[in-house]
Amino acid sequence: MSKGIFTPTNQIRLTNVAVVRLKKGGKRFEIACYKNKVVSWRNKTEKDIDEVLQTHSVFLNVSKGQVAKKEDLMAAFGMDDQTKICEEILTKGELQVSEKERHQQLDEVFKEIATIVADKCVNPATKRPYPVGIIEQAMKDTHVSVKANKTSKQQALDVIKHLKEAKIIEIERARMRLRIAIGVKESKKMKEKVSKLVTSVESDNYDDVEYEMVRLFQSNEWGCSS
């Protein structure tokens, strides 16, 4: 008869994990996640915690499989609901990655930010978008540093402001074109409302029945995004 491997009941062995660590109440707590899912959770592109966590257990040490005791959880978090504690660690904890993984992750975030900036902005002289490579070079030339624990969209907005102030390239937010067609009777009231929001007038056309206006506005106005 073959012999099984004895594993203590307070130990869980996991492989190929991403560890998120949080220090609280004088102890270190860890959770075991799937690789690449932690950033997706924090960016809110992944909302199913079961797709992020390998197990809903809270550990003192993931690599050793040492599970946290109920009394430790109660002392540090004031509860022993492991799923809720996992969510707190996932949100507030520090993702443990190797130096190589960290550089790779930051490179990916850097490129994603540059892509967002290129998508949202134009050269004001030509009114055309810059290639992503130009944005990446401008970011490097102005020593932009990116963060793995902050969303790419948030950082892209900061980078746009930074590049405008640095003036290494001429850049401005792209404007969106809005066409409104409305009956002549309602046109005056609509024109007054729209005029408070738009950045410039492109055209006005009307006949006996219909009034058509074309306006340009910044994509962050009216809660829209380009």
Side-chain angles (χ1 to χ4, degrees):
M1 185 175 68
S2 61
K3 293 183 178 180
I5 297 174
F6 174 73
T7 302
T9 55
N10 68 332
Q11 288 191 348
I12 300 175
R13 295 293 185 182
L14 297 165
T15 59
N16 194 31
V17 299
V19 176
V20 180
R21 179 183 298 161
L22 179 69
K23 291 182 179 179
K24 188 165 184 176
K27 286 187 176 291
R28 184 181 72 182
F29 297 94
E30 298 180 345
I31 55 174
C33 305
Y34 291 105
K35 286 185 179 292
N36 304 321
K37 285 293 187 177
V38 176
V39 174
S40 298
W41 173 271
R42 290 176 173 177
N43 286 344
K44 301 187 186 302
T45 55
E46 177 58 70
K47 297 181 180 179
D48 185 354
I49 197 167
D50 290 328
E51 294 295 320
V52 183
L53 297 176
Q54 289 211 18
T55 171
H56 287 243
S57 299
V58 180
F59 296 81
L60 294 178
N61 190 309
V62 168
S63 63
K64 294 181 179 179
Q66 186 180 358
V67 179
K69 296 178 181 178
K70 179 178 178 179
E71 50 264 34
D72 291 332
L73 299 178
M74 289 298 299
F77 297 93
M79 59 178 169
D80 60 353
D81 186 323
Q82 302 233 1
T83 298
K84 288 184 178 179
I85 294 172
C86 283
E87 287 185 20
E88 181 174 338
I89 296 173
L90 191 57
T91 302
K92 299 178 181 178
E94 182 180 349
L95 177 62
Q96 306 300 302
V97 294
S98 68
E99 197 63 27
K100 182 179 179 181
E101 287 176 318
R102 188 180 299 277
H103 282 301
Q104 183 179 358
Q105 187 180 56
L106 290 176
D107 284 343
E108 290 174 358
V109 173
F110 188 93
K111 291 176 181 178
E112 187 175 352
I113 292 169
T115 300
I116 295 172
V117 173
D119 183 56
K120 288 187 173 290
C121 296
V122 296
N123 179 333
T126 64
K127 303 300 180 185
R128 296 182 65 82
Y130 283 106
V132 175
I134 297 293
I135 300 298
E136 287 185 4
Q137 190 59 52
M139 290 168 63
K140 291 175 183 176
D141 291 344
T142 54
H143 309 292
V144 169
S145 60
V146 301
K147 299 176 178 63
N149 61 350
K150 190 176 179 182
T151 67
S152 296
K153 185 175 181 180
Q154 288 175 321
Q155 294 184 81
L157 295 174
D158 293 336
V159 167
I160 293 170
K161 182 179 179 181
H162 173 77
L163 292 179
K164 289 181 72 172
E165 292 174 350
K167 296 183 178 179
I168 193 167
I169 58 173
E170 294 298 319
I171 191 169
E172 69 178 15
R173 287 291 298 270
R175 292 184 293 177
M176 297 185 71
R177 181 177 282 105
L178 176 69
R179 175 185 174 274
I180 298 175
I182 194 171
V184 173
K185 290 183 179 180
E186 295 84 16
S187 62
K188 183 177 180 181
K189 186 180 294 184
M190 177 61 69
K191 191 173 182 179
E192 289 175 353
K193 289 182 178 179
V194 172
S195 65
K196 298 175 183 178
L197 301 169
V198 300
T199 55
S200 65
V201 176
E202 189 164 281
S203 67
D204 286 296
N205 296 293
Y206 56 90
D207 53 30
D208 293 338
V209 178
E210 187 178 75
Y211 171 74
E212 179 190 274
M213 66 176 82
V214 180
R215 301 290 187 266
L216 297 176
F217 64 98
Q218 291 289 357
S219 58
N220 61 336
E221 292 175 327
W222 293 2
C224 298
S225 59
S226 57

